Structure formats: structure tokens, C-alpha cells
């Protein structure tokens, strides 16, 4: 059976061109710094996001945690949205690796009120208080919404006033740039460091990039080694990363268009609640009727050769990527229509 996998854009298979690039990649020992394909990926990645230097890391979580580990001193406090990926989905790593305290701000889709961020910054040298070491933003938010540039500029101004760096969890920052209709560097200009994933909508089989100043990346490289993230002949993974960076980033508008098409089709189904205005990128969230059996729904999808994550508290997410087009979407919608009508 040819499965349709809409659980996430992390499930993307490498393209045929990526597989060929992996087979032909020039390699060296990256811990020695002599893997030419990795060096080229890091050079181009830094240039792409307007930073001085970049580091290839195995995962987005490692990239984010290296940023905290590098920006902060142990015992610092990090300000972040209460619904961001670093808080929800990184296994409490900030406490274990960087030894920092997280101070969350109530937010909606990653939007922390700027005045709330400002009020949480520790002022002065009271020995009872931790020092604020970092502010974290996430764009696109892991729920699928995109933060406006004006909002990022407001947070940047607050951070600059207090000489606090800003890190961007930009796992899908290229999706955010497409949604905003801007060059990605307009987003990353508002932060001191950025992590972005090559292995989500950009379809590389593995890997992320952490980018920032040369001094920052030099320290992050040392800390990557400390965490066991020093890799050897990893050019075989950097090669598809180059294609992800330069080619797959240019077709994300197709995934967004497919997501909007799917949202429109789903919104027309009886009992489905879906706000079309919330579909900023390739993630489509909707609410299923409380009377719908999640078990029956998942069985019907599986029997039709469709992989999806089950609803949680009535909310369900479907994700488009390079292997999902209108034909696949129509099959998914047809199954949902049948189950809802039963």
C-alpha cells in the first residue's frame, strides 16, 4: 500500500535528487573541520539567514538547547511563551543541559504581550533574583501561526534596551517568510541566533542549523562536542541539506496552497469546526464533533492507507508537505466525509 502520511512534515522522504547527492557527497571528518560538504552547508546557511556563521546539528531540539547553553550562564532565567516548543516538547532539557530557569509568559500562538515580556525582565542586582539571560521566540509557531514582523521588532526593542539576546526557534522559519511575503533575513534580523530545521518541510532526512555570530557559533561548536554531537563523515547528510536549503525552500508556497485547499474542503464537512484565518503555513487544525468516535475515525483512515495523529481533546491536525497534493487531500477528505455521515 502507498501510504499517505499527514502526521507531520517531519515524515517527508528525501527526494530522488537528495538520495543521489548523498551517494555522491564529498566527505571528511567534520570534528576536524574538513568535511567540505558540511562546511559549504554551514557557509550557505549562514548567508541565507543573514548571520556570520552557522553550525550543522542533528536535530532542532539540539539546536535550541545549544542556543540556551551558549547564550546563558547556569542559574540564568530564560523568558519564553508558555505554549512554545522549547517548553512543551524538549523534555525539560533546559534544566538539565543549560541549568537555566524558564520563566513563561501566557501567550496565544506564541504571541507574548510585549509589556508582559518587559515586566519579567529582572532589573538590578538583587542577590535573590536570577539574571535574565535570554528571550526566546518561535516563528512559525509550532501550532502553525506566524508572528508578524512588527511584533518581533517590538520584542527586539525591549531586549536591546536591557542588553538581552534573543533566540529564534525557527524550525519552520522559511514557512514563516513565505507566509509573510518577505526574505527570511527580515525575520532573522530581529534576533541574535536562530535554529531552523532542514528535516521538516524542507525534506532533508536529518539535521538542523544553528546560526549566529562567529563567536557564538565557536562556543556552540565546543558545546555540541560536549553533548556528543560532533559527527564524522557527515557530508552524506549535509548534501541533501544543501538541496533543502536552496531548492526545497523555494517550493513551500505549494504546501501552503495545498493546506488552504484542504482547510476549505474540511470546513465544508458537517460538524467540522475550522477557522480558515488560522491557516498561515502548512499545518491545518480543526475540531471534530464530540460524538465522533476517534477510534472509528482512525480505523477508517488506516484502512484507506492514511496516517494521521488522532484527535486530542477534539482537536486534530493534518500537515501538507512535498509528498501531499490535491489527490491525496481529496482521499483524506473523502474518508472524513464518510465517517462523519455514518
Amino acid at each position: 500500500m502507498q501510504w499517505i502520511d499527514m502526521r507531520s512534515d517531519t515524515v517527508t522522504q528525501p527526494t530522488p535528487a537528495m538520495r543521489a547527492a548523498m551517494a555522491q557527497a564529498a566527505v571528511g571528518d567534520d570534528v576536524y573541520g574538513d568535511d567540505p560538504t558540511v562546511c559549504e552547508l554551514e557557509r550557505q546557511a549562514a548567508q541565507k539567514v543573514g548571520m556570520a556563521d552557522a553550525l550543522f546539528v542533528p536535530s532542532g531540539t539540539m539546536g535550541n538547547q545549544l542556543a540556551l547553553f551558549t547564550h546563558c550562564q547556569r542559574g540564568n532565567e530564560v523568558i519564553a511563551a508558555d505554549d512554545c516548543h522549547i517548553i512543551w516538547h524538549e523534555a525539560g532539557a533546559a534544566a538539565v543541559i543549560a541549568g537555566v530557569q524558564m520563566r513563561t509568559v501566557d501567550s496565544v500562538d506564541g504571541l507574548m504581550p510585549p509589556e508582559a515580556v518587559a515586566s519579567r525582565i529582572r532589573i538590578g542586582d538583587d542577590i535573590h533574583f536570577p539574571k535574565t539571560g535570554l528571550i526566546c521566540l518561535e516563528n512559525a509557531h509550532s501550532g502553525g501561526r506566524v508572528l508578524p514582523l512588527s511584533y518581533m521588532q517590538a520584542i527586539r526593542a525591549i531586549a536591546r534596551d536591557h542588553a538581552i539576546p534573543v533566540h529564534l526557534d525557527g524550525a519552520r522559519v522559511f514557512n514563516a517568510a513565505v507566509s509573510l511575503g518577505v526574505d527570511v533575513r527580515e525575520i532573522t534580523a530581529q534576533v541574535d541566533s536562530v535554529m531552523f530545521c532542514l528535516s521538516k518541510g524542507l525534506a532533508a532526512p536529518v539535521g538542523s542549523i544553528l546560526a549566529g555570530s562567529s563567536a557564538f557559533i565557536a562556543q556552540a561548536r565546543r558545546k555540541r562536542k560536549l553533548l556528543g554531537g560532533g559527527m564524522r563523515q557527515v557530508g552524506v547528510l549535509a548534501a541533501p541539506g544543501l538541496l533543502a536549503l536552496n531548492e526545497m525552500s523555494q517550493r513551500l508556497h505549494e504546501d501552503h496552497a495545498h493546506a488552504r485547499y484542504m482547510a476549505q474542503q474540511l470546513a465544508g464537512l458537517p460538524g467540522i469546526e475550522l477557522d480558515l484565518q488560522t491557516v498561515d503555513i502548512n499545518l491545518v487544525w480543526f475540531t471534530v464533533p464530540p460524538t465522533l468516535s476517534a477510534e472509528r475515525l482512525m480505523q477508517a483512515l488506516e484502512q484507506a492507507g492514511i496516517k494521521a495523529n488522532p484527535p486530542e481533546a477534539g482537536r486534530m491536525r493534518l500537515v501538507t508537505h512535498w509528498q501531499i497534493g490535491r489527490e491525496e487531500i481529496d482521499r483524506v477528505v473523502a474518508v472524513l466525509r464518510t465517517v462523519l455521515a455514518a
Side-chain angles (χ1 to χ4, degrees):
M1 181 184 295
Q2 184 66 43
W3 286 91
I4 297 172
D5 198 337
M6 301 183 75
R7 291 173 295 174
S8 177
D9 46 10
T10 62
V11 304
T12 49
Q13 298 288 306
T15 66
M18 287 180 174
R19 293 178 186 273
M22 293 171 75
Q24 299 165 7
V27 300
D29 190 320
D30 183 48
V31 175
Y32 283 116
D34 63 6
D35 187 305
T37 312
V38 175
C39 291
E40 184 61 16
L41 172 62
E42 291 173 343
R43 184 191 70 78
Q44 291 192 30
Q47 183 180 50
K48 195 86 165 180
V49 295
M51 296 290 181
D53 206 349
L55 180 67
F56 184 50
V57 294
S59 71
T61 293
M62 179 180 278
N64 280 336
Q65 294 305 321
L66 275 175
L68 272 62
F69 197 14
T70 305
H71 280 299
C72 298
Q73 299 295 315
R74 298 186 73 81
N76 276 179
E77 192 167 67
V78 176
I79 296 172
D82 65 341
D83 59 356
C84 74
H85 191 278
I86 289 173
I87 297 296
W88 274 86
H89 297 295
E90 299 191 8
V96 177
I97 296 172
V100 296
Q101 173 171 295
M102 303 302 297
R103 194 172 195 194
T104 60
V105 178
D106 290 344
S107 59
V108 178
D109 296 325
L111 286 165
M112 302 178 286
E115 62 274 13
V117 173
S119 71
R120 283 165 173 75
I121 294 173
R122 305 287 188 167
I123 307 297
D125 292 315
D126 190 315
I127 62 172
H128 300 87
F129 296 161
K131 291 184 178 294
T132 303
L134 185 65
I135 298 171
C136 292
L137 297 175
E138 184 179 15
N139 202 12
H141 183 259
S142 50
R145 301 307 307 276
V146 171
L147 278 56
L149 269 179
S150 58
Y151 171 78
M152 294 191 66
Q153 290 163 351
I155 298 298
R156 178 63 161 172
I158 292 168
R160 187 180 292 115
D161 287 345
H162 296 278
I164 297 170
V166 180
H167 171 66
L168 177 63
D169 176 353
R172 297 184 177 94
V173 71
F174 289 96
N175 293 89
V178 169
S179 178
L180 292 171
V182 301
D183 187 282
V184 69
R185 284 171 288 193
E186 292 191 44
I187 298 175
T188 56
Q190 310 309 318
V191 299
D192 296 279
S193 62
V194 58
M195 181 284 297
F196 65 86
C197 289
L198 299 167
S199 59
K200 287 190 168 74
L202 302 187
V206 65
S208 293
I209 293 290
L210 178 64
S213 70
S214 295
F216 171 82
I217 292 300
Q219 286 300 309
R221 189 178 297 276
R222 170 176 286 273
K223 291 176 186 291
R224 184 188 70 173
K225 178 65 174 173
L226 183 154
L227 294 177
M231 297 173 284
R232 302 300 182 181
Q233 288 72 35
V234 75
V236 292
L237 297 179
L242 281 164
L243 292 172
L245 184 70
N246 294 310
E247 296 184 12
M248 300 303 281
S249 65
Q250 302 304 304
R251 56 151 308 280
L252 292 175
H253 62 279
E254 298 175 24
D255 296 340
H256 294 191
H258 288 145
R260 287 190 294 272
Y261 171 75
M262 179 165 60
Q264 291 164 356
Q265 301 306 305
L266 291 171
L269 299 181
I272 295 293
E273 295 180 12
L274 192 157
D275 183 357
L276 294 173
Q277 298 304 310
T278 65
V279 184
D280 288 341
I281 55 172
N282 61 323
L283 312 184
V284 179
W285 288 89
F286 55 98
T287 302
V288 299
T291 55
L292 178 63
S293 165
E295 183 179 359
R296 183 161 58 86
L297 171 60
M298 299 313 295
Q299 286 177 348
L301 289 169
E302 183 177 0
Q303 289 170 3
I306 298 162
K307 293 183 180 182
N309 290 322
E312 293 186 12
R315 293 271 290 165
M316 191 167 182
R317 185 189 76 171
L318 296 174
V319 184
T320 60
H321 49 78
W322 80 271
Q323 292 169 291
I324 300 295
R326 287 203 173 196
E327 180 182 346
E328 289 76 18
I329 291 167
D330 288 341
R331 278 177 57 185
V332 173
V333 172
V335 172
L336 282 164
R337 180 181 291 110
T338 300
V339 173
L340 288 166

